[in-house]
Amino acid sequence: MKQSSNVPAFLSKLWTLVEETHTNEFITWSQNGQSFLVLDEQRFAKEILPKYFKHNNMASFVRQLNMYGFRKVVHIESGIIKQERDGPVEFQHPYFKQGQDDLLENIKRKVSSSKPEENKIRQEDLTKIISSAQKVQIKQETIESRLSELKSENESLWKEVSELRAKHAQQQQVIRKIVQFIVTLVQNNQLVSLKRKRPLLLNTNGAPKKNLYQHIVKEPTDNHHHKSMCFVFSQFFRFHTAGLKV
């Protein structure tokens, strides 16, 4: 192999590994020379890697290949992808070909594809996300405030309903007392009238019929008792309906 300062050390060591015949049982060119094969990954990692790359990690070796643009060759047989476990693993690169070491200087290590413009766009996207999150937070706080107001209004309404129920119960009690008073008043009035009329109806002393008739007719016109009862009723009604005022 012609030494070139433009070829990275990893690629130079890889070319030497594939070219040398004493390593052919571990790594070698494919039949067409367009790719190379790692025949036994475990033995290759254990016996070869420490001598050339100062480590025995096959995964690290594969990552290095990927960084230089090498791709694993996938074989498809009868429409099924062939699973290579303990068998050979094949890698390929357009500028890594048998007998064409002059192409190695064309193999370049991959660099980060991110550009300042892309980073700027990502920063703008992040700013938009933060702005959107802040707007959502403001809306959420507004909703929470409105819910708090509704809760307060609801509590006030329930308090008012409770007070109205209490007043309604009080009014019902007053009405029952008024009805009871009226019934008692009527009953007492009938009883008094009966007691006054009974001596007249049972009069056996032979009193003149004219006097008896005059007494019966005169009784309704005597409204002193009626006025007294109306006064008592009005006082009772005024006292008990004082609680009806809201």
Side-chain angles (χ1 to χ4, degrees):
M1 173 183 175
K2 298 178 182 179
Q3 297 294 329
S4 175
S5 60
N6 295 327
V7 178
F10 174 79
L11 296 177
S12 297
K13 293 178 181 180
L14 179 62
W15 181 270
T16 301
L17 270 174
V18 178
E19 279 287 306
E20 291 183 351
T21 56
H22 72 276
T23 59
N24 284 348
E25 60 178 313
F26 303 103
I27 183 170
T28 185
W29 290 107
S30 62
Q31 292 181 356
N32 59 12
Q34 301 297 309
S35 59
F36 69 91
L37 303 171
V38 177
L39 302 177
D40 189 331
E41 291 186 66
Q42 292 184 355
R43 289 187 61 195
F44 177 78
K46 183 178 180 181
E47 301 178 28
I48 301 301
L49 286 181
K51 294 179 181 180
Y52 289 85
F53 300 100
K54 298 181 181 181
H55 66 79
N56 60 355
N57 191 331
M58 186 63 188
S60 177
F61 175 73
V62 173
R63 282 196 296 269
Q64 285 276 30
L65 291 174
N66 292 334
M67 289 177 63
Y68 283 97
F70 286 83
R71 294 288 181 267
K72 182 182 291 188
V73 179
V74 178
H75 296 278
I76 300 177
E77 296 179 358
S78 301
I80 301 175
I81 298 177
K82 183 180 179 181
Q83 299 292 334
E84 298 168 340
R85 297 178 181 175
D86 297 330
V89 181
E90 186 174 357
F91 296 93
Q92 180 269 340
H93 192 285
Y95 298 121
F96 195 86
K97 298 180 181 181
Q98 187 177 15
Q100 301 182 40
D101 57 346
D102 57 311
L103 298 176
L104 292 178
E105 61 184 13
N106 296 321
I107 300 177
K108 305 298 181 182
R109 184 171 180 173
K110 291 181 178 180
V111 295
S112 178
S113 60
S114 61
K115 300 179 181 178
E117 294 78 7
E118 294 179 351
N119 293 334
K120 183 178 180 181
I121 294 174
R122 293 176 183 175
Q123 183 64 32
E124 290 176 355
D125 292 341
L126 181 60
T127 303
K128 290 180 180 179
I129 294 173
I130 294 175
S131 178
S132 298
Q134 290 176 345
K135 291 180 180 179
V136 172
Q137 185 178 5
I138 293 174
K139 290 182 179 180
Q140 186 174 0
E141 291 176 353
T142 302
I143 293 173
E144 290 178 354
S145 176
R146 181 55 183 162
L147 288 175
S148 179
E149 292 177 359
L150 291 174
K151 182 179 179 181
S152 178
E153 293 176 0
N154 190 33
E155 291 176 353
S156 299
L157 288 174
W158 277 109
K159 183 178 180 181
E160 185 176 353
V161 169
S162 179
E163 292 176 353
L164 289 174
R165 286 180 177 176
K167 291 179 180 179
H168 176 72
Q170 185 180 3
Q171 292 173 359
Q172 290 292 100
Q173 185 177 4
V174 170
I175 292 173
R176 283 195 297 268
K177 288 183 178 180
I178 292 174
V179 172
Q180 184 179 2
F181 173 77
I182 293 174
V183 172
T184 303
L185 185 65
V186 172
Q187 290 177 348
N188 292 339
N189 187 27
Q190 291 177 350
L191 183 61
V192 171
S193 299
L194 182 61
K195 287 182 178 180
R196 287 186 175 184
K197 292 178 181 179
R198 186 175 298 172
L200 298 176
L201 295 175
L202 298 177
N203 187 1
T204 55
N205 296 328
K209 293 182 179 181
K210 181 178 180 181
N211 294 336
L212 178 61
Y213 176 76
Q214 290 177 349
H215 184 75
I216 294 174
V217 173
K218 185 179 180 181
E219 178 66 20
T221 60
D222 187 7
N223 58 359
H224 175 73
H225 178 70
H226 177 70
K227 291 181 179 180
S228 298
M229 295 186 73
C230 287
F231 174 77
V232 173
F233 174 74
S234 64
Q235 293 299 319
F236 178 86
F237 184 82
R238 181 181 302 174
F239 172 77
H240 283 282
T241 54
L244 295 176
K245 297 180 179 180
V246 179

